[in-house]
Amino acid sequence: MKKIYGGVETGGTWCVCALGSGPDHLLAYEQFPTTSPPETLERIASFFAAHPAPTAIGIGSFGPVDAEPSSPTWGHVTTTPKPGWRRTAVATVLRDRIGVPVAFDTDVNAAALGEHRWGAGRGVESLCYLTVGTGIGAGLVIGGRPLRGLVHPEVGHLRIPHDPRQDPFRGSCPVHGDCWEGLASGTALGERWEMSPAELPGEHRAWRLEAEYLALGILSIVCVASPHRVIVGGGVMERPALLPMVRRGLRELVAGYLDTPLLGDRIDSYLVAPGLGDRAGVLGAIALAELEARAA
Ligand code: ZN
């Protein structure tokens, strides 16, 4: 019999719970708004209480988080600006309530793992999963495991060239102003152009600038981590014309220096859309739980 795992994705806006062993075998699935920590954690615990206990649970959380297993604050959301969630214990509370082993990582690392296991990143040795939505975040999977490092990667706060003559917008990041996320997230688009990304007309010059910024940030990721594939999703990428523009921009920036067809003629199969859509995070959390159970 297949082992059953639990997956939890706690996003800034929505929380998703699932029980199963993969995208084709989900026994239960529920989505609800992320409210206060006690209320949200209670709802997650109730979801699992209503079903047979899973072998382990994986949690992919919005961040920043403490995912270092030896840390006394492992499983906490740390310096988030989200009201009520600063320095909040998540993984330990759920582990104690549900009574099964719990794995904990960032939401984007979970999504990266999900895409690697079942989505657009199947079969590659390493990948980057990038999401461009309210913020910008990325998870990296290397050798089948999410890369955590000292804290965890926070690519949204990379610095990219910003020419104020071309783009006088000061940036929307509350910490850095014009970091990558401050210039190119959905929040930045909304503040700069005074309309949401969904309302911006296709011919608006916003999109050329957006593609340029996204290509610059992705170039940094490619130069540092050299992932075998980059998967890019999130609300801003729902504009179908944007991905081909970013591919063109990245190819121009690489300028043939990195000698692989995947960054040249074949860039369409290098920089790709997600395969699991908005289920990547919760499915990745199931994959995290599976890794945890195997390691135990
Ligand atoms: Zn920033």
Side-chain angles (χ1 to χ4, degrees):
M1 208 176 91
K2 264 189 175 174
K3 281 188 176 163
I4 299 302
Y5 299 97
V8 179
E9 181 190 10
T10 54
T13 314
W14 293 96
C15 187
V16 190
C17 295
L19 192 69
S21 57
D24 303 323
H25 187 242
L26 284 184
L27 307 174
Y29 184 94
E30 198 179 323
Q31 180 173 333
F32 43 86
T34 305
T35 55
S36 71
E39 195 180 6
T40 308
L41 295 175
E42 181 54 42
R43 245 182 120 169
I44 297 168
S46 307
F47 170 86
F48 287 105
H51 301 285
T55 304
I57 290 176
I59 304 170
S61 170
F62 70 89
V65 300
D66 183 348
E68 169 52 49
S70 65
S71 161
T73 51
W74 169 82
H76 283 52
V77 172
T78 59
T79 49
T80 179
K82 187 170 168 61
W85 282 84
R86 210 175 158 85
R87 313 246 173 243
T88 295
V90 174
T92 42
V93 171
L94 291 176
R95 184 186 59 197
D96 296 347
R97 276 291 304 275
I98 304 162
V100 299
V102 166
F104 184 73
D105 215 319
T106 59
D107 48 2
V108 277
N109 259 353
L113 191 62
E115 287 290 340
H116 185 256
R117 182 73 204 276
W118 295 296
R122 269 179 301 178
V124 298
E125 199 179 311
S126 66
L127 66 80
C128 170
Y129 171 87
L130 176 71
T131 175
V132 186
T134 315
I136 293 182
L140 289 147
V141 168
I142 296 173
R145 302 193 74 89
L147 174 76
R148 220 169 269 146
L150 175 65
V151 180
H152 47 74
E154 276 286 345
V155 302
H157 304 276
L158 280 170
R159 311 309 297 242
I160 59 164
H162 173 212
D163 178 357
R165 287 165 303 179
Q166 186 199 195
D167 173 24
F169 179 60
R170 294 165 62 93
S172 64
C173 175
V175 185
H176 315 108
D178 64 350
C179 61
W180 193 22
E181 173 173 300
L183 291 173
S185 63
T187 307
L189 281 171
E191 286 181 19
R192 182 190 292 109
W193 305 110
E194 295 177 338
M195 58 183 119
S196 74
E199 291 166 327
L200 278 167
E203 67 284 3
H204 198 288
R205 69 188 177 95
W207 296 112
R208 224 176 56 205
L209 186 67
E210 179 68 8
E212 193 182 313
Y213 285 153
L214 292 181
L216 281 164
I218 295 169
L219 176 71
S220 295
I221 296 171
V222 169
C223 289
V224 173
S226 200
H228 287 82
R229 189 168 296 161
V230 176
I231 299 169
V232 53
V236 172
M237 297 309 298
E238 280 168 19
R239 182 68 56 133
L242 184 56
L243 184 57
M245 289 164 77
V246 180
R247 285 182 183 134
R248 271 198 301 279
L250 179 63
R251 196 176 164 179
E252 277 168 28
L253 288 167
V254 170
Y257 180 69
L258 299 167
D259 193 13
T260 161
L262 286 170
L263 290 163
D265 294 347
R266 291 182 53 214
I267 200 158
D268 289 7
S269 50
Y270 182 75
L271 189 60
V272 301
L276 301 175
D278 57 9
R279 295 198 305 168
V282 76
L283 288 168
I286 286 178
L288 265 182
E290 197 182 36
L291 276 184
E292 172 77 17
R294 257 197 240 141

